[in-house]
Every structure is written in structure tokens, then in C-alpha cells.
Amino acid sequence: MNTAIDPRLIARLSTEFTSLSEHMGILGRDLEVLRTQLIVDPLVARPAAPFAPPAAAPAAGVPMFGPGQAPRPGPDLSGSAEGEADSAAEPIPSPSAPGASGGGEALPQPGVVPGSSQAVPGGFQAVSGYAQAGPGYAQLAPGYGQTVPGCGQTVPGYAQGGPTGYAQAGVGRAGWMGSSQGGYRTMPPLPRQQRRGVPVRERRAPWWQREGVVSRVLAVAGVTVTLIGVVMLLVLAAQAGFFGPVPRVVAGAVFSGVLVAFGVRVHGKAGGQVGAVALAATGIAGGYLDVVAVTTNYGWLNPVVGYAIALGVAAGGVGLAMQWRSQALAVLVVVGAALLAPVITLEVALLVFLIVLQIAAVPVQLGRDWPYLHIVRTIPAVLATLVAVAAAGLGDASRWHRYEVLAAAVAIAVVGLAGTVLVVRRRSTDITASLTCAAATMPLLAAPAMFERPTAVLISAAFAVVLLTLAALRWVPKLAERVRIPGHLAVVAAVAGAFAVLETCFGVTDTHTLPVALFLVAVAFLGAGGQQRSRVAAGIGAAFGALGMVAFLDIAGPATLSDQWYAQERLGISTALSAAAALAALAAAFRCARRLGLVARESDATAVAVVGGMAGLYAVTALTVSLGVATGRQDGFLAGHGIATVVWMAAATAALFFGLRRLSRAPQSAKVALAGGLLVTAAALAKLFLFDLATLDGLLRAAAFLVVGVLLLLVGTRYARAFAEAGESARRG
């Protein structure tokens, strides 16, 4: 056997091992470069790591920057991984670390041989000694050819940040803001929201440091204190006996005029807006209070003349506010006069002066969209009149005084309605006007409490007609185009009118007839809601129906229907009419629900039918028993219950027939109808054996059993035939 080794094999193996060694050397150098980059270059490797110079270095033999030139801009690291670091200080290599001056190791860059300070041809120059630089690059490595004067000084574009450096200070990477011994450079911490990429809101200054806030607060305080002083001059000084009436009145008028004059003068100067508004508002409100005092306390002016002068003063104030385009002036005038007028007088004239303020501000609302003026011109008069209504209704006020308060309530309602209609014709989206209109109706809605029933009914009925007519104008095509009543005002008018109708119902009925009235009103609203597809009208009708049901159950509850003595005491023709009206309301409600699309789904229609069927059966029972009691016969109560049992069974039969007829076309509703019919059948049988058998006697008992039995036979026969036909159809198919 030949054991000699082939020399060619040895040569080939030697060549392969040499090639493998070269590849392993290259791999080792690459791994060393990667390791050095991971240690030295934190901007790429990981957050919160040592600082590295810019990623791009100049080519070999090209200086980084020339004389008088700033260093080349660094990369913009805004939003980079560095932004996630929570630390405010980051270290960079010390001189003894690799890559520092004296270490001899180059910053790894493409084309750089580790450990060398020179660039590989075609690559980049190596950097060494950068760790001793201050903020920015204050010193260059050998080979760059230049050193920035002043080691440790800030290099423009790096330490100060900005568009040419490391982003901007405080945004992203803020630039190196200083250096410390040992080669560490401190950076300011970033806001946590910004580190997460969320924009940081600029922090607002405290309210007392904001422009105009303190001046406005002081102006309002000055208006308040000054007006209180005017009131003290007009009222408290008179009570203490200081001065005479004429000096007090003249002093108040002159003082108010001087304030207005100063306000007009200050308004034209720079920064005088706030002071001018405060001075003018104080003067005008003071003049208004002076007129109130002259008319009420001193009696120098006829009330009509006093009201006219007050209207002129208020109109002048709001006119000046329109000229200055200042809602604050108009609001301060109205609020100041309205709040302090009750200190001067509490007579009925106070209501008139408050109404004058309400009237004077109406023209302003036509030209200016000032919602706060809407509120302050209405609320004072409303509150004062409500207090007057309560005092007159609970006290022993004279009839004349009550009519004066009623006149004030009517005036507030008229001004509120007319002003709101005029405003919304110009600005259909002014919801504040509609809300203030609702507030203006409250005194007149409360006014019937001051009078006896006939007068109260007349007031509430008339007001209901006006309000419901205003709400229904949108349903008349030709009138709707002319009046242009928006939806929100129609809703306000409808709701207020509904309250007026409710007051009328309570006024014209007693306990037994109240359910009839409520159910009839419910039928009217539900019919209108279904016809016009108005959810508002439907909701009002449902509310009246619920109130009617509560009143009806209070009279004809289950305990009354089950006891003959109670039934004969409480039931009668009125409860029969109530039950009939309840059935009509249920029918109107179901029709309205269908017109509005509330029972479009089969499940919804089924649920409504079940609830309505139960309520209808109860109403039918009350109707038959009430009619039986109303006949005056001793057995009328029993006859009514016997008829009710038959009606129950008839309703069950109708439901079963309906379900059997729709079994193939609408299985879901058919099943519900069948289930409901069977339940009503069980209830009719239970009533027949548990109640009628014990209470009915003679012919009534026999008739009830006969009719119910015949209906059961009909239902059973039809039920069996329906399922037999279904089985034959299945076999043929």
C-alpha cells in the first residue's frame, strides 16, 4: 500500500488555510471597528452614551475648517433616540480612553484603520484628542491643520446650538452647555413631553401678571364701590339727615356726569379702554339710580316722566357701548343699575325700572351679538317679578297690587318674546336669545297663583294660545318663510306653552276629570307630532299621557277595581271617559311612534305592542267596570267585570289569529303575538275561575263561561288547522 502524501494536496490545503487566515483577519478587524464604534459613538449606538463627533469627516488632506470659519454643523438629533434619555449629563472619553489625545487611537470612521491617526486613502481623517475639547470642538486632532483659539471656549454652532449646530438649546439635543474636569459635558434636561414627541405648551403667566387682567379687576371693583357710594349718598344720607334732598340729588347727578365726561376723554388715549369703560359705566348707572331715587323716594317726578327719563339714560348708556363696541360697558351699566335699584326702592315701580333696562337693551341685540347683555337685561326683571308674585300669592296683597304685578309679568313676557323674535330673524343661531325668552316667560307662568280659579285659567289659557301659536308657525309653509322662527325658539315656545296648558288643565278640572283633560291634551300633541314628525311635540304628548295615567291610577287603581264598595264610591262616568281617553292616547302614541320611525324594527314594534296591549286591557277593564257602576244597578260592578273577562278573551283570540296568519310571512312578530295571546288567554281563564266564579252569580256567570268557552273552541280549532296546513306544506316541499 502506498502511504506517501501527495504534495499537490499539501499545497492546496496550505493555500486554503492562508485564504482562511486572511478572511479571519479581515473579520477580526471589522469586529474591532464595530466594538470601538459601539463604545465611542453613542449618538448611533445607544442613548445616554459618550459623545461622538459629526458622522461625516472631511476627506484626506482637506482641513475641517479654515481661518475664521465655524466648525462644520453637527447632525440634528431632534427626535432621535437620544431624546429618550432622562439623564442631563453625558460623559465623553477622557484622555486615557481610546480615541483621546495621547491614546493614539483614531475615531473609527469609514475608511479609518483603528489605531492610526491618518486616513486610509479615499477615506476620512482620523480624530484624536477630541476628549479634551470644551463645549463644541475646541481642539483639533493632528492632521486637521488648525486649532480653534482658546481651548475650552464655545465653538459657534456647537455649544450655543441653533440651526447650524446640534439642533437648538432645549430642543432635541441642546448642544454642549459647558464642560467639567475629566472630560464631561453637561446638557440641560429635556421636558418629558418633548422627549416623547409631544409638543410642550408654553407656560402661561399667573393671572395677576397677564396683560389687562388686574386693570379689569380693579375697574370692576371701582365701579361697584363707587355705585355703592352713590346709593349711600341718595338713601343713607337722607335717613341720617345729612344734607338736603336737593343737594343730594344734584351732587349725584353732577358726579355721574363728571364720570361720564372723564370716561369719554380717557377713551381716546392709549391704554384708556378699561378705565373709560369703568368711568362711563359708573356715571351712567349712577345717573340711572339718581332718576330712580327722584321718582320713588322724593316723588319729584311723575312716574311716567321718571320712567321716560330712565329709559333715555339707559338708552344713552347702551348707545355709547355700541359706539365703543364694548359689551362690557353695556353689561356694567345694566348690572350696576339693576343690582342697586332695590336698595333705593322696593315698590312696584322697581319692576318698571327693571323692565325699562330690559327694553333699552333690545335695540343693541339687533345689531350686536352680545350674549351676556341678553342675560343681564332679562334675569333681574324676571327674578324681581317672581319674588313679587310669590309675595302677592302668599300674602294678603290687594287686588290692585296683584294686577300691577300681573302687568309687570305680561310686559316682561312681551318684551322677551318680541325681542327674541326680532333677534333670531337676524341671527338664527342665537340660542342665548331663546334661553332668555324662556326665562322671560316664567313670571307670567307663575302669575296665575295670585288669583282665583277663573282669572288664573284665563291667564294661563291665553298665554298657552300665544306660545303654542308661535311654536306652530314653523308648520305653516307661507308663514314660516315670513317669520323665520328657528327650531330652538319653537322648542322653547312649545315647552313653555305646554306648562301653560298644564296649568289650564288643573284650573278647569277636578280630581275625577283631570285624567280626561290630560289624556285629551296628550292625544292632541301626539297627533301633531305624528303629522309633522316632530319629536318635541311627541315628547310633550308622552309627558301629558304619563301624567294622565298617574292621575287615572290614583282614581281607578287595582284596589278600586277589585273591591265593589270602593268602586261604587270612586268610579263613574268620569272614570269611564278617562279610560276611553286613555285608549285614544295609546292609539295616537302608537301611530306617532310609527310616523317617527321609532318602531321601524320588528323587535321595537313588538315591545311597544306588548306594553300598549297591557295598558289597553287595563283601560278596557276600568271602562267596563266604570260603566257598570255608572248604571246605578246593584249588579253593575259584577256585570262590568264579566264583560271585562269576555273582552280579555276576545283580545287574546284576536292576537292568536293575527299570529297564525303572519306565521309564514313574519315569524318573529307572529311568535310574539302568539305568546301574548296565550298569556292573555291564561290571564282571562285565571280571572274567570279565581274572581268571576266567586263574585258573579246567576246569568252573568253563565254568560261569561259560555262566551269564553266558545272563543277557546274557535281558537283551538284555528290553531290546529294552521299547524296541520303547515305540516302538509312541508311534506309537499
Side-chain angles (χ1 to χ4, degrees), residues 403-641:
Y403 278 114
E404 288 178 336
V405 176
L406 174 62
V410 172
I412 292 173
V414 170
V415 174
L417 288 173
T420 301
V421 170
L422 293 175
V423 169
V424 297
R425 282 169 57 87
R426 293 173 176 264
R427 298 188 301 274
S428 60
T429 59
D430 195 344
I431 300 178
T432 306
S434 297
L435 296 178
T436 54
C437 176
T441 62
M442 294 175 62
L444 192 53
L445 290 175
M450 299 186 297
F451 301 96
E452 301 295 331
R453 176 171 291 191
T455 307
V457 169
L458 181 62
I459 294 171
S460 57
F463 196 32
V465 170
V466 173
L467 290 172
L468 295 179
T469 301
L470 178 62
L473 287 178
R474 299 184 73 247
W475 295 343
V476 182
K478 294 183 179 179
L479 291 178
E481 296 176 358
R482 294 181 180 179
V483 296
R484 299 195 302 274
I485 300 297
H488 49 84
L489 179 57
V491 170
V492 168
V495 174
F499 277 105
V501 171
L502 184 62
E503 290 180 343
T504 306
C505 291
F506 278 100
V508 300
T509 61
D510 56 13
T511 306
H512 288 82
T513 57
L514 178 61
V516 180
L518 293 176
F519 282 132
L520 291 179
V521 173
V523 170
F525 274 105
L526 290 170
Q531 183 67 28
Q532 300 295 329
R533 289 183 170 84
S534 171
R535 293 179 179 266
V536 176
I540 294 174
F544 272 93
L547 291 175
M549 186 60 69
V550 171
F552 179 67
L553 291 177
D554 183 60
I555 302 171
T560 302
L561 294 179
S562 60
D563 188 272
Q564 185 173 0
W565 185 85
Y566 279 112
Q568 292 175 349
E569 287 291 327
R570 299 181 179 180
L571 301 183
I573 191 64
S574 60
T575 51
L577 293 175
S578 298
L583 291 174
L586 289 173
F590 187 75
R591 177 180 178 277
C592 181
R594 292 187 59 183
R595 293 276 295 179
L596 293 176
L598 301 178
V599 291
R601 294 185 302 179
E602 191 175 4
S603 57
D604 296 336
T606 302
V608 171
V610 169
V611 175
M614 296 174 61
L617 287 178
Y618 188 88
V620 166
T621 304
L623 175 62
T624 57
V625 175
S626 298
L627 289 175
V629 172
T631 59
R633 296 174 57 88
Q634 187 64 27
D635 57 351
F637 173 78
L638 303 177
H641 270 289

Side-chain angles (χ1 to χ4, degrees), residues 672-688:
V672 175
L674 293 174
L678 293 175
L679 287 176
V680 175
T681 301
L685 292 175
K687 183 177 183 299
L688 183 67

Side-chain angles (χ1 to χ4, degrees), residues 61-63 117-118 125-126 141-146:
V62 180
S117 61
Q118 299 294 329
Q125 284 187 322
Y144 273 88
Q146 279 197 56

Side-chain angles (χ1 to χ4, degrees), residues 9 53 145 149 151 242 252-253 333 351 367 371 376 397 445 461 538 578 615 627 635 704 712:
L9 176 61
C151 179
F242 297 146
V333 168
L351 303 181
V376 299
L445 290 175
S578 298
L627 289 175
D635 57 351
L712 285 173

Side-chain angles (χ1 to χ4, degrees), residues 75-100:
D76 184 3
L77 303 179
S78 302
S80 67
E82 280 295 300
E84 297 295 329
D86 291 335
S87 174
E90 297 184 359
I92 60 174
S94 63
S96 60

